[in-house]
Amino acid sequence: MITPTFKVDQDEEFIYVTINTPHVRAQDVDLYVEGSEFRFYLRPYFLRLHLPGNVIEDDNSQSTYDPSAGQFRIKITKETKGQVFPDLDLLTKLLARKGEEEKKQKKPLIEVVGGSEEPASEIEEAMEFNWEIPQELPTTSSLNIQAYYGFDQQYTGYFTHVQETLNEINDIQQPEASTAESRREERIRLENERFDEDHYCTDFAMDEEIQYAIKYKTAYAKELKKVQNHGESQLQFTAQEEEMMRQLPRKEYLISNEKAIYLGLVDLLFAYSYNHRLTEGEGNVESAWCIGKLSSTLSCLEASERY
């Protein structure tokens, strides 16, 4: 589990916990409040705080998520209105297990020289602290991300904890420690390793399903024929589609590599067209996975400027 960065504030009635959890599904969060203990769990993040006073979860308590900032803002009611909670800025103290801070502060009165006493085992230590796991704030170096990918190579940090999250599309082992060249090399290596000659030969010899998919006429092909014959198309956006386009953010991009953008679009369109043809335009529960896997832009964060 990963301990997220956080901060704690207060007023006369409430405690406010702000937790940084970028690129997560907010609906999967699990919160626990009892006495002075506060727990937050959202894979791969886990945060346990021992507050210097008691809090309760009531109708005034609430949790909100800001997707643009990647932050949870959690408001918890103080059990005693007006009570001041000291040392909320001492984050390591809040993260400490019950009794751990006091144990650190106690110093032995007698120094033992020699002896055969062995240190406590992990199980004994866990029992002493009621099976609570130790927590540490992430270091600055672990947050220093250098890899860039995505649209015009403008994104970073989305795969910081890829090993701790379920991801069936991404094929790159360490995206945040990669370069465009290393990702391309890893993609080619994986394609060569996964190529199955027997599967290829079988599809070549028994191609009934393939021929059926090739003969399928998509709605786009029919509209293209109308344009070629009559110079006009009957395809029109629905009212819902027009509303969705109006709600798109108006943003101007400073494109550094226009060719790579267009080639990446071709890659995405190919993957979409393949799935559209195989499912005869209906789509299914595996469509998103199929498109993501086929598109090297998505599965391997490929930048196509070489082609």
Side-chain angles (χ1 to χ4, degrees):
M1 293 297 171
I2 298 166
T3 303
T5 56
F6 69 97
K7 68 175 182 177
V8 183
D9 303 302
Q10 66 177 320
D11 58 22
E12 287 191 356
E13 297 185 44
F14 302 101
I15 291 291
Y16 301 93
V17 185
T18 304
I19 307 173
N20 296 306
T21 57
H23 326 310
V24 295
R25 296 179 179 178
Q27 65 268 25
D28 297 333
V29 67
D30 184 17
L31 295 172
Y32 172 84
V33 176
E34 183 176 351
S36 63
E37 186 175 357
F38 166 83
R39 273 186 255 162
F40 170 93
Y41 172 70
L42 177 61
R43 187 179 179 91
Y45 299 102
F46 175 76
L47 179 66
R48 182 197 61 245
L49 303 178
H50 288 297
L51 300 167
N54 289 345
V55 290
I56 57 175
E57 187 175 6
D58 58 11
D59 294 338
N60 294 320
S61 302
Q62 65 178 18
S63 172
T64 58
Y65 181 66
D66 181 359
S68 60
Q71 288 184 339
F72 275 94
R73 173 81 167 174
I74 302 168
K75 182 174 76 171
I76 316 166
T77 305
K78 291 181 178 179
E79 186 177 78
T80 304
K81 182 179 178 180
Q83 180 184 3
V84 177
F85 286 24
D87 300 333
L88 292 182
D89 57 334
L90 301 180
L91 303 185
T92 54
K93 186 175 181 180
L94 298 177
L95 290 172
R97 296 172 288 183
K98 281 186 178 179
E100 187 173 22
E101 195 67 23
E102 291 80 359
K103 185 176 180 180
K104 288 181 180 179
Q105 293 174 358
K106 289 181 180 179
K107 296 182 179 179
L109 300 177
I110 301 175
E111 180 180 358
V112 179
V113 179
S116 58
E117 184 178 352
E118 296 182 357
S121 66
E122 292 183 0
I123 294 180
E124 291 175 345
E125 182 182 359
M127 292 176 63
E128 181 180 358
F129 294 109
N130 195 28
W131 299 96
E132 291 183 348
I133 61 173
Q135 301 178 105
E136 292 183 2
L137 287 171
T139 60
T140 304
S141 59
S142 65
L143 300 176
N144 187 18
I145 301 169
Q146 299 295 330
Y148 291 90
Y149 40 76
F151 182 81
D152 201 35
Q153 304 292 289
Q154 293 182 3
Y155 294 87
T156 184
Y158 281 78
F159 300 94
T160 304
H161 305 301
V162 67
Q163 303 300 333
E164 290 84 4
T165 57
L166 295 175
N167 190 327
E168 297 180 354
I169 292 180
N170 176 60
D171 285 332
I172 305 301
Q173 290 297 315
Q174 295 182 322
E176 299 303 338
S178 67
T179 63
E181 187 63 32
S182 69
R183 293 194 293 269
R184 182 175 296 111
E185 292 175 356
E186 188 169 353
R187 173 181 63 80
I188 294 173
R189 178 182 62 80
L190 290 173
E191 288 174 352
N192 291 333
E193 289 178 356
R194 294 171 179 175
F195 180 76
D196 189 335
E197 294 180 356
D198 294 336
H199 196 161
Y200 183 85
C201 292
T202 301
D203 285 344
F204 180 78
M206 304 171 63
D207 63 345
E208 292 84 1
E209 293 184 1
I210 296 175
Q211 293 300 326
Y212 179 81
I214 292 175
K215 292 178 182 178
Y216 169 70
K217 298 296 183 183
T218 67
Y220 310 113
K222 297 174 183 177
E223 291 300 321
L224 176 61
K225 192 171 183 179
K226 290 180 182 179
V227 172
Q228 291 171 338
N229 293 336
H230 307 290
E232 60 181 12
S233 172
Q234 301 299 318
L235 277 180
Q236 293 182 348
F237 291 114
T238 65
Q240 183 180 5
E241 290 170 339
E242 291 178 350
E243 179 62 25
M244 290 175 64
M245 287 189 290
R246 281 194 292 268
Q247 292 179 359
L248 290 174
R250 297 181 180 179
K251 183 177 179 181
E252 295 184 3
Y253 293 92
L254 299 176
I255 304 300
S256 60
N257 192 331
E258 189 172 322
K259 179 182 177 182
I261 298 296
Y262 284 117
L263 289 174
L265 180 60
V266 171
D267 174 58
L268 294 171
L269 287 174
F270 169 78
Y272 170 82
S273 300
Y274 174 87
N275 177 78
H276 182 85
R277 181 172 291 276
L278 282 189
T279 61
E280 298 185 2
E282 295 294 329
N284 55 39
V285 294
E286 294 186 350
S287 291
W289 175 86
C290 178
I291 294 171
K293 274 296 186 185
L294 278 180
S295 169
S296 60
T297 302
L298 299 177
S299 61
C300 296
L301 308 177
E302 178 68 71
S304 307
E305 65 267 15
R306 277 194 167 191
Y307 305 103

